[in-house]
Structures are given as structure tokens and as C-alpha cells.
Amino acid sequence: MTPRELPIYELENALVASLRAQGRLIVQAPTGSGKSTQLPQMLKAHGFLAQGEVVVLQPRRLAARMLAKRVAEEMRCELGGEVGYQIRLESRVSAKTKIRFVTEGILLRQMSFDPALKGIAALVFDEFHERHLYGDISLARALQIQQTTRPDLKIVVMSATLDAVVLKDYLAPCDVLTSQGRSFPVTVEYLPKPVSFDKENVWDVAARECARVAARTTTGDFLVFMPGAYEISRTLQALQFERDLRDFVIFPLHGELPPEQQDRAVSRYDQRKIIVSTNVAETSLTIDGVTVVVDCGLARVARFDPNRGINTLLIEKISIASADQRAGRAGRTAPGICVRLWTEREHSQRALQELPEVKRLDLSEVVLTLKASGIDDIAAFPWLEKPEPKALERAEVLLTDLGAVAGKRRSITDTGRRMLRFPVHPRYARMLLEADARGCVRPVALMASLTQGRSFLMRGVGRDVEDARDDVLGEETESDFFLLMRAWQYAEKNSYSVDACRRLGIHAQGARQVGPLFKQFLEIAQKEGLDTGETSVDGPAVSKCVLAGFSDQLAKRLDGGTLRCELVHNRRGVLARESAMQKATLLVAAEVSEVEGRGGEVSVLLSLATAIEEPWLKELFPEDYRDAVGVVYDEAARRVIARRERRFRDLVLEAKLTAETPPESAAASLLAREVMAGNITLTEWNENVDQWIVRVNRLAEWFPELEVTPITEGDRATLIEQICYGSYGARELKDKPVMPVLRDWLRPEQLAVLDDYLPERLVMGNGRKARLTYNKEGPPVMSARIQELYGVDGRFTIGHGRVPVKFEVLAPNQRPIQVTDDLTSFWRDMYPKVKAELSRRYPRHEWR
């Protein structure tokens, strides 16, 4: 099939017309339709790139490089000439480049340094249905730029499967063009019974299924999905042992492979082939000749780990939507088969689709990038899907703690701009900057790589393993990181031997994954001009780098007898028992996790700790380290007291009592907090006060013309604080009047009409007075015994006739027997029955 025969060309005329008319367009087309390779060429052919290039955003590095290579081949030009690509740590572009494939982070960083996007004529967002965080943000920024400084900029959003309704409204005015593509039926097969990959390796199951299908088919290539490079390598080994697969050539395909090996995997061969790939082959790349897919159902999924404060990439089950995408790869050129390594019942229990990354990733890196673009009000940014306010606040607080943003508007600082040069999480960008200044980049890069996956040092090991660790790794007093570093070096020295690692309780596979990450961190550091040469580990210098990256997780031991700690940001926790930092009084925890104990009680566990010396706080964060007069509530004395404090942010490092009188406002705030918590009782705040507040709120509701401001729960706290003003202890508050403060809530004219419009008591026709009860909802209720209601008829209202009153009729024992808003109907319809029953029970009472 020639490129011009691809299904996407059905849309060519409509696509060109729509872009010329509106400048924005959504293209829905399945994988294999040619959209990724042909649409950029269409833009060039129709003159859209006369004044600049088209930048095609790809979620994955491998796809960006391979698509660029394919388009360059089709255009018969050298890669890096008219067609190029730009990914992290690698670039093949030139002044001639007109079609540039990039990963999403590349464009967003370019936007932060060049908001006008000079030299870019069009932006194409490919595979947008995957809802990567950087894709969402880059699209929002592109829209802003197009609506302000670059109305000539063309924007195309492409997807294989996408709910286009939300996106169409977001991009309006915008057309949606759909290509059905061409595909063949795919038979989906499931395993007959569940398989636990903890007991039977996933690669062995996949190899067995490949052999089973190969024995009954004679044509077509196989595509096997695995979650990562390690699983792929083990699958390749397992496939080579299967007799029915001897005639196949076998290739790996993932982003860490050298380009020539990636090219080899997608090339055509006379023999049948098996490609073992990550989910890079799920959507972005079309691999010709595949008729069989074997899907393990797993992928590495990016999520935010609040325990370590970083984004993680851990193996999880894929969604039904992703499974369908993978199955579709088998039906591009002929009818196909998809074998899923799970049961049909397990399939129905999977999530329908992946959660967008904006809902599951830490936003600090993106927020920093937006700040660099001059966007200080992050909440007002036009998000396609707005993240949780708490997630945004958490990101800004972390960036403030790292020194990346500052001031009331939390604008980006010079440190923040330097951090952006490193395509890593802001914590590690800050650590690498500090490491560069202290000459310890290499050990810090290793520490950063040690924390990216699950800990490979097993917990809860036996005494023999603990003794072996002590003998080989030695004692540690400075940082749990240093122990982890020595454990990894031991595993590497022993070539990750399972037996050698088991002796020290090291998970060999987990330790093996550190090496490539370490290499990647060093490459990033080298690219940014940092000295990554071998140096002896200077403990204090490296520990200061940990403090720079995790200052928001600084903890102070509360006492020497326990492991309880107090943390920055008013938190408390317990140092993990396996931590070697048992004697440290001040420490930084790189992992902070919540653990649910018996009875549902949640405790905060601090692990991966590093001992900190107090002078380092002043050295690294001089503005956050200060002396101050602190005001605290002494629970024993039940009074507010003043003390001289040495603080790091809001964490008190040392405090000494002083004879100074606490400021009245601070004392009032602390006392109010104790009152709200129920620890101090205002005896004068009784039921009458609560009724008065309800009356004020109903006055505001029923008579808006009076312009009364209702009293909310937040206002209640403010009023209590005003009552506490001028007091310093619980004894002074015991009998303190509260109504004078509450009455000041109303203007004199509002206060004057309160009793007139909504009285506390009601005078009935027989001359008796009855108390009214006001509720937060519904009409006021007047409760009275039957004998008190004799001679009273009809309906009652208050508020000059605007508010009806309900009657709660009580028996002699004060229990309600009827609620009515019309006493006339009560006497006529209900009273005869009530009287007959109650007069026998209460003969001494008057019954008329």
C-alpha cells in the first residue's frame, strides 16, 4: 500500500478547508490510518509550513524518533534535514527542519522560554486520548497563545479513540473529522483460569501461549506486550526455549534500546517474527504484518506517590480501553488473534479507561513550567480537566519550600528557572543544583535513582540476614541512603546474583533496575554541564543535598525514649524502626507514609531518613530559619503562654518560656481553637444563644430586604475568637458574656426588628405565652400542652404574616401527639379521638 492509499487521505480536502477557516481541528482516526505520518506531510504540501515548521507532539520518545525516520524515508530526505525529532537527551534537527516530532515536555519547556513560538506554524497533538499531563497542559497553553499573540498558529488534535464532545467544546469553534480506517476482525481469546504472576512468571506464560498459537497458524507476525525492558529480556529468553517458535526471528522493542535495534524490530523479514514490546506499540506505531497479539495485560503506569513526594512508574493492570487498543494491532492487514493472559471474568473487573494524568500525577513540575511562562494564578489557568485544588496547593507549597517560587503570588525565582533546565522532578532538580555547588553530583544522582522504584532492600528479614548485612554493609549513622547505596553496589558487584542478593535480603530484580536510572541521571547532569566525575562521598555535603530536596519533610524527635517526631507543616509521625537514624534528633525523611493500624487509627511513618545538623538549616534556608516569640496553649495550666522560639518555617526547634504577655490577638485565636475543639466551655453559650443564631439566619433568609448577613460555621469561629479577646485562660472564659459580641453582628436597625419579626415567644388567643423553636430548615414550631391551647383556633403567622407557624401539640407527659398548622381542623378532626384516649390515662387533667 502506498502512502496515498492510506485511509487518512479521505479527509484531506475537508482537513485543509477546516484549518484555513478556523485554525483548530480534531481528527479522529484509528491506529494504522496514517494520521501520524501523513498529516504533517499534508500540511507541508498545502502551504501551511511556508512561514515555519510543524511540531508533532508524541507521548513517547520511541514513537517520536521512529515516526520521524519513517516520514523522512517517505519524503526521501535525510533524518535531521527537512524532517527531524527532538526528545530528552537527543536531538536530530537543523535550520532546514519543517516537520519536527517531539515529546510533550519538550514543547511545554519551549513555551516557557519562547511564548510566541517563533518559527512554529502548526502544532499537532498526536495520540491525545492517552491524556498525558504534558499534552493537556501544552494544548491549553497553545490555545492561550493562539487566542492572544499568535492567531495564525494552526492547532490539530489527533486521536485513535477519544470522547470528542468535551474537547470540541474546549476548542470551540472547532470541527471534528472522523476516518473509519480499515481493519479486519480480531478473535479475542482468554486464559481458561486465572494465573498469578507472582507464582508463575509472566514471560513463561506468554512464551507458552505464543507457541500454542504458532502451532496452529502458518502466516503472520506476533506482537507480545510486556510492561518494561526487564520483562521483555526475560520473555526473549523464554521464547527461545519453545520448540514451535524455532523458525521465528525475535526482537525487543522499547524506548531504552539503541536506534538501530528499534529499527530492526519494525523492519520486514522473510521469516515470521515475534516483537516483544512495551505499550509504545499500543497506539503510536503501526507495525506491518502483525496478525497475533499476546497481551500480558500490564503496563508501567505513572502516578504520584505522596509517601515519597515523587512521580512513580510502577507496573499495574491496564484498562479495558487499552486492552482493546492492543487487540486492534492484530487486525491491520488481515484477520487476527489476540490472546489475553487473564480470564474473561477478570477482564470485566478492569477499569474502563485510564485516569487522566492530571488526576493522578504530582503537578509541581508542570506548575513550575507554567510559572516560568508568567502564569502565577495557576487556579485560573484554562485546564482541559481541572485538577483538585488540594493538588495545586500541594504543588505550590512544595515549590515554595524548594525555593523555586516565592512571594504572595508565588512567582518563579532564579533558582526555579535553573531547576527547569533539568527534565526531572523538582525535588531532584534542586538536589542536583545543590550537588553541583558541593561537588557531589555522582552520589546524589545515585541516590535519586535509588528512590524511583520500590525499595529493593527487603524489610522484616530474619536475624541471620540482619547479621550478614551488618558484616557486609557496616554500621550507618549519617543516612539510610548511604546504607542503600552500599547495598546496591554490593548487588552490582555480584552481577545481581539471586543467591548473593538473597543473603543480604536484597531484591535482585529491583536492584538491577537502578543501574539504567543512575546512567540516565548522570546523562542529564552531564548535558546540563555538571561535573559527574568520580569523587569520594562527603557525607555532610551529600546530606545537605537531601535537605535541599526534602526540606518540607524535616522532622524533630520529640523525646529520646520514643521514635515520635514533629514535622514541618504541623504534622506528626514516627520514625521507622528499621531506620539506622535512631539516635538523630533532627532528620529529613525521604519517605512519609500513612499506615492504618488497629481500629482504623492512622499513623504517619517516616523512613529513608538522613540525619541533619541545625546549622545546615540556616546555611541553606536563611529566610526560613529565625528566632521569634511564640504563643502556645499550655494544656496543663489551661492558659496561653509566651515563649522564645527558634524555628525552621513552622517547626519549633527549641523553645524557652518567657515572662512576656502574649499578644491579645494570638491568645484569642488559640483559645478559640480550644473552645471549638470542646476543650474549653463557654457556659454562657447555651441553647438560647444557638436559637438566637438560627433566628438571625432565618431573618436573613425570609426577609432579604433587611440585608442581614447570615452567620456561617466559619463566622461562628470568628465570633468565639472575639469573645476570647482580652482573655488568656480557661478560667477567665468560664462565665464570660457572649451575647454582647453576637448582638454586634447586626446593625442597630436590624437588631431592633429581630424580636418584632421573629419573636422568641408567641402570645396566643387565650392570653398564654408559648416559646417558639426555630430550626435551620422548615417553619418555626410552637410546642404546648393541649390544656394550654384551649380557646385557640385557626392558623398562626409571624413576621407580619409572611412566616407560618406549626403547632406541636403535647400530651400531659410533654410527648408530641400531633403536629399541625391549623388548630381549627385539629379540634374538629383529631381532638375527639385524642381526648377519649388521654382522658382515661390522665383523669386529673382538664378535658373540655
Side-chain angles (χ1 to χ4, degrees):
M1 182 186 296
T2 65
R4 293 289 309 180
E5 294 176 296
L6 288 166
I8 193 65
Y9 278 97
E10 300 165 359
L11 305 180
E12 183 175 13
N13 293 336
L15 188 151
V16 171
S18 179
L19 266 187
R20 284 192 174 138
Q22 295 173 339
R24 294 198 286 271
L25 178 64
I26 298 170
V27 176
Q28 278 185 283
T31 307
S33 60
K35 63 184 185 302
S36 303
T37 56
Q38 303 309 306
L39 192 137
Q41 296 182 63
M42 288 183 198
L43 295 179
K44 184 175 184 299
H46 289 275
F48 287 102
L49 309 184
Q51 302 302 316
E53 64 178 341
V54 56
V55 175
V56 185
L57 273 82
Q58 287 294 326
R60 298 181 179 83
R61 290 177 293 164
L62 187 151
R65 192 193 71 78
M66 299 196 77
L67 287 169
K69 179 176 180 293
R70 183 170 296 182
V71 173
E73 289 171 353
E74 289 181 3
M75 291 178 62
R76 295 178 182 171
C77 66
E78 185 181 343
L79 186 61
E82 272 195 293
V83 182
Y85 66 90
Q86 192 175 359
I87 59 180
R88 191 170 72 176
L89 304 178
E90 191 179 345
S91 178
R92 293 283 297 274
V93 294
S94 67
K96 299 177 186 175
T97 302
K98 284 291 185 181
I99 299 174
R100 176 163 56 111
F101 289 84
V102 305
T103 43
E104 295 159 330
I106 298 287
L107 178 64
L108 189 57
R109 285 171 186 272
Q110 182 174 347
M111 288 171 166
S112 67
F113 296 114
D114 176 22
L117 294 180
K118 292 187 289 289
I120 296 178
L123 296 174
V124 176
F125 295 81
D126 199 8
E127 308 299 352
F128 195 77
H129 67 278
E130 294 192 16
R131 296 300 306 279
H132 285 242
L133 177 58
Y134 276 98
D136 278 17
I137 307 304
S138 300
L139 178 60
R141 281 291 291 132
L143 198 56
Q144 280 186 322
I145 292 168
Q146 188 191 56
Q147 290 170 339
T148 53
T149 58
R150 289 289 312 278
D152 60 311
L153 183 69
K154 307 300 181 188
I155 298 174
V156 181
V157 181
M158 303 198 300
S159 171
T161 56
L162 181 68
D163 179 5
V165 176
V166 174
L167 192 59
K168 184 179 181 182
D169 291 342
Y170 183 70
L171 294 175
C174 176
D175 289 333
V176 178
L177 301 181
T178 302
S179 169
Q180 298 304 321
R182 298 181 193 130
S183 60
F184 293 84
V186 175
T187 302
V188 177
E189 300 177 2
Y190 295 91
L191 295 185
K193 60 182 180 179
V195 172
S196 170
F197 293 142
D198 291 332
K199 296 178 179 177
E200 186 173 9
N201 294 322
V202 63
W203 45 84
D204 290 330
V205 179
R208 185 175 67 234
E209 289 302 308
C210 284
R212 182 180 64 81
V213 176
R216 70 178 212 247
T217 58
T218 56
T219 58
D221 297 333
F222 285 43
L223 175 60
V224 181
F225 283 102
M226 284 287 155
Y230 176 74
E231 292 80 13
I232 287 174
S233 68
R234 295 303 301 265
T235 305
L236 297 177
Q237 294 172 14
L239 291 169
Q240 290 167 357
F241 286 107
E242 292 290 343
R243 182 176 299 176
D244 288 324
L245 302 177
R246 282 178 302 184
D247 295 333
F248 285 75
V249 287
I250 303 169
F251 299 100
L253 181 60
H254 57 82
E256 304 306 320
L257 286 174
E260 60 273 12
Q261 290 190 38
Q262 295 173 356
D263 295 342
R264 207 177 299 156
V266 298
S267 298
R268 282 192 167 276
Y269 295 90
D270 294 333
Q271 287 175 270
R272 297 175 77 185
K273 69 179 176 183
I274 301 175
I275 302 163
V276 188
S277 174
T278 58
N279 59 358
V280 68
E282 187 177 304
T283 55
S284 305
L285 299 171
T286 296
I287 304 171
D288 293 333
V290 171
T291 58
V292 176
V293 165
V294 175
D295 184 4
C296 73
L298 303 172
R300 292 196 180 275
V301 177
R303 290 191 187 278
F304 175 61
D305 180 355
N307 302 342
R308 285 171 287 171
I310 58 170
N311 290 328
T312 62
L313 200 61
L314 300 177
I315 295 175
E316 296 182 15
K317 293 177 180 177
I318 62 171
S319 68
I320 290 174
S322 290
D324 290 344
Q325 281 286 104
R326 291 180 175 188
R329 310 305 304 209
R332 295 298 170 212
T333 55
I337 299 168
C338 173
V339 179
R340 291 173 173 165
L341 305 186
W342 61 95
T343 66
E344 194 164 6
R345 183 178 179 184
E346 288 174 319
H347 185 74
S348 66
Q349 296 167 349
R350 294 192 172 219
L352 289 175
Q353 54 194 21
E354 265 72 34
L355 196 66
E357 284 188 348
V358 74
K359 295 286 190 181
R360 56 181 161 89
L361 287 189
D362 169 44
L363 301 175
S364 55
E365 192 173 353
V366 158
V367 168
L368 184 60
T369 309
L370 292 176
K371 298 275 187 185
S373 301
I375 300 168
D376 288 330
D377 188 357
I378 299 298
F381 182 72
W383 303 87
L384 171 58
E385 189 159 351
K386 200 155 190 169
E388 296 295 327
K390 281 185 180 179
L392 287 177
E393 176 63 19
R394 183 174 58 211
E396 291 198 285
V397 167
L398 174 58
L399 292 173
T400 302
D401 289 341
L402 293 174
V405 301
K408 283 187 177 180
R409 293 181 60 81
R410 289 173 168 165
S411 301
I412 193 167
T413 62
D414 290 339
T415 299
R417 291 193 184 279
R418 288 183 66 205
M419 286 166 60
L420 264 183
R421 290 164 41 201
F422 299 90
V424 295
H425 191 279
R427 286 193 187 277
Y428 298 108
R430 181 70 181 86
M431 285 175 66
L432 287 169
L433 284 180
E434 197 65 35
D436 188 39
R438 300 182 184 279
C440 54
V441 171
R442 198 171 189 89
V444 167
L446 176 55
M447 292 167 76
S449 61
L450 289 168
T451 60
Q452 301 303 298
R454 290 193 178 95
S455 176
F456 57 80
L457 206 57
M458 298 176 191
R459 295 174 180 173
V461 294
R463 185 62 183 267
D464 57 333
V465 174
E466 284 186 2
D467 291 342
R469 277 184 189 172
D470 291 341
D471 291 342
V472 176
L473 305 180
E475 189 181 3
E476 181 55 53
T477 59
E478 291 183 275
S479 175
D480 291 330
F481 271 114
F482 295 165
L483 200 65
L484 209 55
M485 290 163 75
R486 293 199 292 275
W488 177 75
Q489 287 160 350
Y490 166 85
E492 184 193 34
K493 185 179 177 181
N494 286 276
S495 303
Y496 307 103
S497 159
V498 173
D499 290 336
C501 288
R502 187 184 294 120
R503 181 170 162 257
L504 298 194
I506 294 172
H507 194 288
Q509 182 182 337
R512 184 191 298 274
Q513 292 172 350
V514 171
L517 289 168
F518 182 30
K519 180 183 176 186
Q520 200 170 49
F521 272 109
L522 288 176
E523 287 173 345
I524 291 168
Q526 286 170 345
K527 187 172 183 290
E528 295 303 329
L530 274 57
D531 181 5
T532 59
E534 292 279 359
T535 56
S536 59
V537 177
D538 178 352
V542 175
S543 295
K544 287 176 184 178
C545 296
V546 179
L547 173 60
F550 290 90
S551 64
D552 58 315
Q553 294 179 180
L554 178 74
K556 183 191 78 168
R557 293 281 290 279
L558 287 172
D559 50 68
T562 72
L563 298 175
R564 295 184 306 133
C565 299
E566 200 165 28
L567 287 88
V568 171
H569 299 317
N570 292 310
R571 295 169 292 171
R572 287 202 170 186
V574 179
L575 180 64
R577 293 193 178 279
E578 64 267 18
S579 172
M581 301 300 104
Q582 302 285 316
K583 295 179 181 177
T585 56
L586 203 59
L587 53 93
V588 161
E591 292 188 14
V592 179
S593 53
E594 290 188 344
V595 180
E596 188 171 339
R598 293 178 182 174
E601 185 178 339
V602 175
S603 59
V604 177
L605 190 67
L606 313 179
S607 51
L608 205 53
T610 298
I612 297 298
E613 294 181 20
E614 192 174 322
W616 301 353
L617 300 174
K618 190 172 184 179
E619 179 188 346
L620 268 70
F621 302 95
E623 294 181 2
D624 294 332
Y625 181 87
R626 64 192 185 281
D627 291 320
V629 175
V631 180
V632 294
Y633 179 73
D634 187 324
E635 293 180 8
R638 303 194 76 203
R639 286 189 63 78
V640 174
I641 58 173
R643 62 186 190 181
R644 284 278 168 189
E645 296 175 346
R646 196 165 64 252
R647 292 182 186 175
F648 178 71
R649 296 177 187 149
D650 60 355
L651 178 63
V652 177
L653 303 172
E654 188 180 48
K656 293 180 180 177
L657 290 179
T658 175
E660 297 176 52
T661 302
E664 289 180 312
S665 58
S669 177
L670 286 174
L671 289 172
R673 190 175 68 190
E674 295 300 315
V675 171
M676 294 292 286
N679 300 325
I680 295 177
T681 302
L682 294 171
T683 53
E684 289 297 304
W685 191 299
N686 51 31
E687 185 183 345
N688 292 336
V689 173
D690 288 328
Q691 268 292 290
W692 189 88
I693 291 174
V694 175
R695 285 167 66 210
V696 168
N697 289 347
R698 301 315 298 267
L699 189 70
E701 178 186 346
W702 289 328
F703 304 95
E705 68 273 14
L706 295 177
E707 297 181 348
V708 172
T709 303
I711 300 172
T712 65
E713 279 302 308
D715 296 328
R716 182 186 290 252
T718 303
L719 288 167
I720 290 174
E721 191 169 323
Q722 289 177 12
I723 293 165
C724 295
Y725 194 83
S727 301
Y728 294 94
R731 184 176 297 177
E732 300 164 50
L733 288 174
K734 184 180 178 185
D735 298 318
K736 195 166 186 179
V738 301
M739 282 310 299
V741 171
L742 265 64
R743 287 195 184 97
D744 282 344
W745 182 267
L746 299 178
R747 298 198 302 268
E749 60 272 22
Q750 295 170 336
L751 190 60
V753 301
L754 177 60
D755 288 338
D756 178 32
Y757 279 58
L758 303 180
E760 288 185 89
R761 295 182 179 275
L762 192 65
V763 180
M764 296 181 291
N766 59 6
R768 292 176 182 266
K769 281 187 177 180
R771 183 181 176 84
L772 286 169
T773 299
Y774 293 87
N775 301 302
K776 291 180 180 179
E777 295 179 355
V781 177
M782 192 194 78
S783 298
R785 288 184 298 114
I786 288 182
Q787 285 74 17
E788 295 171 332
L789 294 174
Y790 289 149
V792 182
D793 288 304
R795 298 173 183 269
F796 276 63
T797 60
I798 56 175
H800 298 221
R802 285 163 65 174
V803 180
V805 175
K806 275 194 179 294
F807 285 89
E808 187 178 52
V809 183
L810 306 178
N813 65 352
Q814 300 291 333
R815 290 185 177 176
I817 55 174
Q818 180 73 23
V819 176
T820 180
D821 55 7
D822 184 359
L823 283 175
T824 301
S825 63
F826 169 74
W827 296 124
R828 184 183 64 240
D829 301 330
M830 291 298 299
Y831 181 67
K833 301 173 188 174
V834 168
K835 176 183 175 181
E837 183 181 339
L838 294 181
S839 60
R840 289 195 302 272
R841 198 180 303 173
Y842 304 102
R844 294 183 181 180
H845 289 264
E846 179 186 5
W847 299 100
R848 295 183 184 177

